[in-house]
Amino acid sequence: MQSCVSATIRLSRTRNGLNTARSSFLHCHQHHPPPHGLTYPFPSTRNASSISIAAALEDRISAIPIERFRNFCIVAHVDHGKSTLSDRLLEVTGTIEPGGNKQILDKLDVERERGITVKAQTCSMIYNYRGADYLLHLVDTPGHVDFRAEVSRSYASCGGALLLVDASQGVQAQTVANFYLAFAQGLQLVPVINKVDLPSADPPRALEQMRSTFELDPERAVLVSAKTGQNVEAVLPSVIEQIPQCSVILLVRVFDGAIRAGDQVTSLATGLRYYVGEVGIMYPDQTPQKILRAGQVGYIFFNPGMKRSQEAKVGDTYTLVGSEKDVQPLPGFEEPKPMVFVAAFPVDQSTYHHLEDSINRIVLNDRSVTLQKESSEALGAGWRLGFLGTLHCSVFEDRLRQEHGATIIITPPTVPFRVIWRDGKQSIIANPAEFPDADVAHGRVDELQEPYVLATITLPEEYLGKVIELCEANRGEQDQLEFFTASQVILKYKIPMAHLVDDFFGRLKSTTKGYATLDYEEADWRKSNIVKLQLLVNKEPVDAVSRVVHTSQVERLGRQWVKKFKEHVDRQMFEVILQATAGRRIVARETIKPFRKDVLQKLHAADITRRRKLLEKQKEGRKKLKGLEAKATSS
């Protein structure tokens, strides 16, 4: 999965860190036998041939495109066989000679003596899979809780991990702890069951534990014995297929100096540092180059890759590490500020993960969208999405449906509000469910504010009166009226953002028969008399449809809500009461009558007392049913 993000870059002419980066990158290959396809020279020609071997290795690596890079680590409880499995993987790729229990990546004496990993170690391997070379970067991490910081740093450089579990011991404490640490880093996990050759091994139990504890598919698991080498050759294909090279492509312009693979750069916006893995130009596709010079426009890969696209800020300035004080950020960088928020929920909760993946794929290429998980009692798990405007939101929704086949529920758009508390603090509320209730607002809130925009409307003069009425009805304040031709008018109004996102443009087009155009920009925040409008079903709030509105709009919107909701709710065996509330006040109500059985149908000539008795019995039964329903709803 890749994302192209535009950025500006300024580089000094120094190249600090290049030699260090290269030496550490080739460290694992200088003291061990070469990968498959290369041979060591005879001792008599060792010095001369070592140079040719290093050159051949560098040529082979340089021919591997970055999309065939894989950075992965091994996640496991202490003494579940991480280092042994690392040795077997190095043997499979030809990086070291087979045989023996070398513990190549355990370099400290204490690690070899105790049989544990204390310091994270890395090594690169070349593996030929289906006729293509892959460059695999393996990180062997500690398993004990005392070295959690070492594990966390290692995970940050990886795109995925092997979740290793002992077939005889099963899932243990550090397996769980390291899993959640890897999960929080967004790593793709490949389940591996080790030590299947032991007499006490119980692979089905271990697989079931991984399924129930981590929700990992047992079908994707690889069963191995790292000690004997049994089925170890099946691990690396799983790494290649299941762990993608997740990285962000930066499209950059070089303003000063030069940049090449191996340079270490830092972002002036985030302060994060990266090693450059590849540079190139679009000719017309990605074409690698040895260097990008001042004035060129091209692309940059980082290695390890920039895994989270949130780190890539459009318009950011990058410079070489060590020259931050000498470089000023280039002008033009401004973090996008979403002004329209919606809640999105899958129609069927079973499609949640598919929809989440679809949303993340679109967000990769649209950094102006903000994404935050939320849940609703009525609609289940979902997300709160922030957009630059209503059209931006509509386009995003269309892309979900058309490109990914998603079925999704989108709540009406809302805007952020500012709360000024009595202690002087300020909060921006983007989710109506978090807006302070009337009881809280009365005692702790000093002032409520809403955003205004300056709307510029261009229209024919004949529709001027109707457009002014439309703006005034939406609490607009006229700022400017100008005739720029004999028949064309420019009208500027300051309008609350909440009214602008409530289909204002659609009503404007309808009023002017499509002749009007609308543009707007942020104006300011103003004190406002706003309140949270909620929908209650049998006195229980439906949080997904709550909105923050001006008090002048409460009764109109409340009546619309309950009438619209009544059309879509089926009759039940009990009474359903729909209410719209603003604070403690009920502003609208609708009642859905229950189904009623004709208990008098079997009576013909019975006296009145018999009829009354049956009706009273039916009435008591409905009360009991209603009570049970209320109890079930509250629970």
Side-chain angles (χ1 to χ4, degrees):
M1 184 187 307
Q2 296 179 340
S3 170
C4 294
V5 180
S6 298
T8 55
I9 185 166
R10 175 180 295 203
L11 299 166
S12 61
R13 297 183 182 277
T14 60
R15 296 178 54 220
N16 298 334
L18 176 58
N19 294 332
T20 302
R22 281 184 175 172
S23 62
S24 62
F25 180 73
L26 297 176
H27 175 74
C28 289
H29 302 291
Q30 292 175 346
H31 305 291
H32 307 298
H36 180 69
L38 299 175
T39 57
Y40 276 138
F42 293 104
S44 59
T45 59
R46 180 174 181 177
N47 293 335
S49 298
S50 295
I51 299 177
S52 62
I53 290 175
L57 177 61
E58 186 171 357
D59 290 342
R60 187 175 180 186
I61 292 176
S62 63
I64 303 175
I66 199 165
E67 59 265 21
R68 294 210 295 269
F69 287 11
R70 298 292 187 272
N71 300 339
F72 70 100
C73 59
I74 303 178
V75 177
H77 186 83
V78 63
D79 201 31
H80 274 210
K82 295 185 303 301
S83 298
T84 306
L85 180 60
S86 299
D87 287 344
R88 299 293 89 77
L89 295 178
L90 294 175
E91 292 174 1
V92 168
T93 57
T95 309
I96 63 174
E97 293 180 351
N101 184 16
K102 301 181 176 61
Q103 292 183 285
I104 292 295
L105 298 184
D106 288 341
K107 300 185 182 300
L108 302 179
D109 291 339
V110 67
E111 292 180 318
R112 294 177 178 271
E113 292 173 1
R114 294 177 176 244
I116 62 173
T117 302
V118 175
K119 296 289 291 182
Q121 302 292 343
T122 67
C123 190
S124 298
M125 306 173 286
I126 298 179
Y127 181 67
N128 191 278
Y129 178 63
R130 294 181 178 177
D133 281 345
Y134 285 80
L135 184 62
L136 310 178
H137 302 289
L138 168 64
V139 181
D140 185 20
T141 61
H144 197 274
V145 65
D146 289 358
F147 310 108
R148 184 182 179 89
E150 190 78 11
V151 175
S152 180
R153 287 195 298 268
S154 302
Y155 290 172
S157 65
C158 297
L162 301 178
L163 184 61
L164 189 66
V165 173
D166 190 322
S168 59
Q169 300 183 37
V171 173
Q172 294 186 287
Q174 280 308 117
T175 311
V176 178
N178 289 333
F179 164 80
Y180 283 113
L181 194 60
F183 185 78
Q185 294 275 4
L187 302 187
Q188 179 70 34
L189 297 171
V190 178
V192 178
I193 305 298
N194 191 23
K195 303 185 181 181
V196 297
D197 60 313
L198 296 179
S200 59
D202 189 356
R205 179 177 66 92
L207 290 171
E208 176 58 26
Q209 288 180 341
M210 297 181 77
R211 186 198 64 78
S212 59
T213 307
F214 307 131
E215 297 183 358
L216 295 177
D217 184 5
E219 297 295 329
R220 299 194 297 115
V222 183
L223 277 62
V224 303
S225 171
K227 183 178 180 179
T228 64
Q230 177 183 340
N231 203 37
V232 172
E233 66 277 1
V235 173
L236 293 180
S238 297
V239 169
I240 293 172
E241 293 173 356
Q242 298 185 38
I243 300 179
Q245 171 63 15
C246 297
S247 61
V248 178
I249 308 172
L250 295 183
L251 301 180
V252 302
R253 174 188 173 187
V254 183
F255 279 83
D256 184 26
I259 186 168
R260 51 177 59 82
D263 287 346
Q264 188 181 19
V265 299
T266 182
S267 162
L268 297 188
T270 65
L272 299 175
R273 297 183 177 186
Y274 309 94
Y275 281 103
V276 177
E278 178 181 306
V279 299
I281 59 175
M282 307 301 290
Y283 189 74
D285 299 321
Q286 295 172 11
T287 304
Q289 300 288 300
K290 293 183 177 179
I291 188 173
L292 287 180
R293 297 181 176 85
Q296 282 189 287
V297 174
Y299 69 87
I300 292 179
F301 279 113
F302 292 136
N303 187 35
M306 182 187 289
K307 295 189 298 179
R308 299 188 307 117
S309 61
Q310 290 86 345
E311 299 174 14
K313 309 292 185 180
V314 177
D316 190 7
T317 302
Y318 289 80
T319 186
L320 292 176
V321 171
S323 59
E324 296 92 338
K325 296 181 179 179
D326 302 326
V327 176
Q328 296 296 322
L330 293 168
F333 172 70
E334 182 179 353
E335 190 73 16
K337 299 178 181 179
M339 292 300 295
V340 175
F341 295 86
V342 300
F345 302 91
V347 174
D348 185 354
Q349 282 293 314
S350 63
T351 63
Y352 176 86
H353 294 292
H354 169 70
L355 183 57
E356 182 180 35
D357 181 64
S358 301
I359 291 176
N360 287 332
R361 286 177 179 271
I362 298 180
V363 170
L364 277 175
N365 289 307
D366 191 348
R367 295 302 324 126
S368 57
V369 178
T370 61
L371 179 64
Q372 182 181 0
K373 290 185 178 181
E374 74 169 38
S375 61
S376 165
E377 292 184 4
L379 300 177
W383 305 266
R384 169 113 348 219
L385 302 169
F387 301 95
L388 301 179
T390 52
L391 178 61
H392 189 199
C393 174
S394 178
V395 170
F396 188 91
E397 182 181 357
D398 288 344
R399 290 188 63 188
L400 276 177
R401 300 183 191 280
Q402 296 171 5
E403 298 177 15
H404 299 274
T407 54
I408 188 172
I409 299 173
I410 298 287
T411 62
T414 61
V415 300
F417 297 92
R418 178 183 290 168
V419 179
I420 302 178
W421 305 93
R422 292 191 185 277
D423 59 5
K425 296 181 180 180
Q426 297 185 9
S427 301
I428 301 295
I429 307 296
N431 188 346
E434 300 173 358
F435 193 82
D437 295 325
D439 295 338
V440 176
H442 180 73
R444 297 175 52 195
V445 175
D446 183 57
E447 186 176 299
L448 298 172
Q449 297 180 348
E450 64 175 329
Y452 272 67
V453 297
L454 179 61
T456 302
I457 305 171
T458 305
L459 69 152
E461 186 269 339
E462 60 184 290
Y463 301 108
L464 180 59
K466 293 182 179 179
V467 172
I468 290 178
E469 290 179 4
L470 176 64
C471 294
E472 296 289 342
N474 286 273
R475 298 167 47 220
E477 299 177 3
Q478 189 175 128
D479 185 74
Q480 184 179 344
L481 175 62
E482 179 183 352
F483 284 82
F484 70 97
T485 66
S487 60
Q488 291 290 317
V489 182
I490 295 180
L491 184 63
K492 293 188 177 182
Y493 260 86
K494 288 187 175 179
I495 301 175
M497 184 71 177
H499 288 270
L500 192 72
V501 302
D502 190 18
D503 198 29
F504 179 84
F505 185 62
R507 284 176 285 161
L508 176 65
K509 285 291 186 180
S510 177
T511 300
T512 61
K513 298 181 180 180
Y515 285 105
T517 61
L518 173 68
D519 188 20
Y520 65 91
E521 60 186 22
E522 298 178 31
D524 52 18
W525 292 82
R526 296 190 182 186
K527 181 179 179 180
S528 182
N529 189 11
I530 51 180
V531 67
K532 179 163 67 174
L533 183 65
Q534 288 185 297
L535 180 69
L536 306 183
V537 178
N538 282 349
K539 300 183 180 181
E540 293 294 330
V542 182
D543 54 347
V545 295
S546 60
R547 290 180 63 182
V548 178
V549 299
H550 192 266
T551 52
S552 63
Q553 310 291 318
V554 164
E555 293 186 3
R556 177 181 63 84
L557 288 177
R559 287 192 295 269
Q560 289 181 358
W561 276 15
V562 294
K563 289 181 180 179
K564 193 72 173 177
F565 204 83
K566 184 179 180 181
E567 297 175 1
H568 296 278
V569 176
D570 296 330
R571 291 181 67 187
Q572 308 293 326
M573 295 300 295
F574 52 88
E575 184 179 68
V576 178
I577 300 175
L578 308 176
Q579 295 172 312
T581 63
R584 299 178 179 178
R585 187 166 65 98
I586 298 175
V587 298
R589 169 175 170 151
E590 289 285 347
T591 303
I592 302 177
K593 296 296 183 181
F595 289 115
R596 179 176 178 180
K597 182 179 178 181
D598 188 5
V599 296
L600 304 179
Q601 182 179 11
K602 61 183 179 181
L603 297 180
H604 299 285
D607 59 31
I608 190 64
T609 57
R610 176 61 176 164
R611 292 173 179 267
R612 288 177 180 173
K613 184 178 180 181
L614 290 175
L615 291 174
E616 287 296 329
K617 186 177 180 180
Q618 183 187 43
K619 184 177 180 182
E620 291 297 326
R622 289 211 311 270
K623 285 183 180 180
K624 184 178 180 181
L625 182 61
K626 184 176 180 181
L628 291 174
E629 175 64 24
K631 183 178 180 180
T633 303
S634 61
S635 62

